[in-house]
C-alpha cells in the first residue's frame, strides 16, 4: 500500500525538508504541498491524501482550523499535527477535532516516517504517557459544562462499551483490553467501533479525551468497569 501524503506548512524550508526525508520512503507518495490552511480542504478533495502533515501555526488559516474543516468531512484523511511544543492548547484542540496525534518539528526523520505509517493504519501516534501529560497540563481542571456533556455522552454506551472506552482512555491496546476484560481481540475491535459510532468520534484519541472529561480516569488504579 502506498500512503498518499499532503504536507502543509508556511515555511518553504520546512516543506522542502519534509519532502526530502519522506520522499525517500518507498511506501509514501507526497501528492502535494500547501503553505496555508485556506486551501487544504480543496486540495484534499482533489488529491485524496491518506494522511495530512499539518503545521499548527500558520499566518492566515492555521492548522487547527484546517484540521477541524478536514475532519468534519465523511471521507476525511488522517491528520498529524506539526508543532514545536509538547503540551499546547492548540494541539489539544486539534486532537479534540480529530487529529490522530502530533509530532515535534525536531523529531528524527525515521520517527516522522513511522508516525505517518502508523496513522495511515488507523493507529494514533500518541503514547499513553504523552496523552496523560497533555491532559494533565492543559485540562487539570475540566470545565464543569464539558464534564457534564461528556458524562451525558458516555451514558449512551452499554456497560461493556463503557469499560472498553475507559480502557482505551488509559492507553491500553486491543490485546491488553482483551486480556483485562476477557474478550477476544475481534470483539474488542467491535466494541471500539461501536463506541466511535455511538459517540460520533473519529479515533481512539477522541475516546480518551472524552472519558477524561467525564472524570473516568481520575483513579488510575481503579479496575476498568
Amino acid at each position: 500500500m502506498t500512503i498518499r501524503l499532503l504536507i502543509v506548512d508556511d515555511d518553504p524550508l520546512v516543506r522542502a525538508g519534509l519532502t526530502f526525508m519522506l520522499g525517500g520512503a518507498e511506501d509514501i507518495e507526497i501528492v502535494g504541498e500547501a503553505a496555508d490552511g485556506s486551501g487544504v480542504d480543496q486540495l484534499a478533495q482533489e488529491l485524496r491524501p491518506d494522511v495530512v502533515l499539518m503545521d499548527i501555526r500558520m499566518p492566515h488559516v492555521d492548522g487547527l482550523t484546517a484540521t477541524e474543516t478536514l475532519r468534519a468531512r465523511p471521507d476525511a484523511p488522517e491528520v498529524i499535527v506539526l508543532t514545536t511544543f509538547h503540551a499546547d492548547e492548540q494541539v489539544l484542540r486539534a486532537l479534540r477535532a480529530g487529529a490522530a496525534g502530533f509530532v515535534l518539528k525536531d523529531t528524527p526523520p525515521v520517527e516522522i516516517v513511522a508516525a505517518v505509517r502508523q496513522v495511515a493504519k488507523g493507529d494514533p501516534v500518541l503514547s499513553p504517557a504523552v496523552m496523560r501529560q497533555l491532559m494533565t497540563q492543559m485540562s487539570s481542571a475540566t470545565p464543569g459544562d464539558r464534564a457534564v456533556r461528556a458524562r451525558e455522552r458516555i451514558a449512551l454506551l452499554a456497560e461493556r462499551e463503557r469499560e472498553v472506552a475507559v480502557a482505551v482512555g488509559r492507553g491500553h491496546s486491543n490485546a491488553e483490553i482483551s486480556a483485562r476484560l476477557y474478550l477476544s481481540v475481534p470483539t474488542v475491535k467491535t466494541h471500539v467501533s461501536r463506541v466511535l459510532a455511538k459517540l460520533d468520534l473519529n479515533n481512539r484519541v477522541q475516546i480518551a479525551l472524552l472519558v477524561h472529561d467525564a472524570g473516568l480516569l481520575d483513579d488510575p488504579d481503579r479496575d476498568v468497569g
Side-chain angles (χ1 to χ4, degrees), residues 79-154:
V79 175
I80 301 175
V81 169
L82 277 172
T83 181
T84 55
F85 299 96
H86 279 283
D88 177 85
E89 179 61 29
Q90 283 191 303
V91 171
L92 189 61
R93 287 177 61 193
L95 295 175
R96 292 189 186 282
F102 72 92
V103 295
L104 299 178
K105 288 193 174 182
D106 60 358
T107 298
V110 66
E111 293 182 20
I112 295 181
V113 171
V116 170
R117 289 171 176 159
Q118 187 169 328
V119 165
K121 293 190 299 183
D123 297 326
V125 291
L126 279 178
S127 69
V130 171
M131 176 64 81
R132 284 194 295 271
Q133 178 192 18
L134 269 172
M135 292 190 294
T136 297
Q137 293 191 18
M138 307 311 302
S139 301
S140 56
T142 301
D145 57 343
R146 179 181 290 163
V148 170
R149 289 196 303 270
R151 294 189 192 108
E152 289 174 346
R153 295 178 71 187
I154 292 293

Side-chain angles (χ1 to χ4, degrees), residues 154 157 160-170 195 207-208 211:
I154 292 293
L157 302 178
R160 191 55 112 183
E161 293 166 348
R162 177 182 175 278
E163 291 173 344
V164 169
V166 171
V168 169
R170 290 181 178 154
V195 171
I207 294 176
V211 296

Side-chain angles (χ1 to χ4, degrees), residues 158-173 176-183 211 216-217 219-225:
E159 181 179 358
R160 191 55 112 183
E161 293 166 348
R162 177 182 175 278
E163 291 173 344
V164 169
V166 171
V168 169
R170 290 181 178 154
H172 298 314
S173 67
E176 290 169 334
I177 298 172
S178 170
R180 286 169 177 267
L181 298 182
Y182 305 103
L183 300 170
V211 296
L216 300 180
L217 305 180
D219 182 0
D221 297 322
R222 186 181 63 188
D223 290 337
V224 176

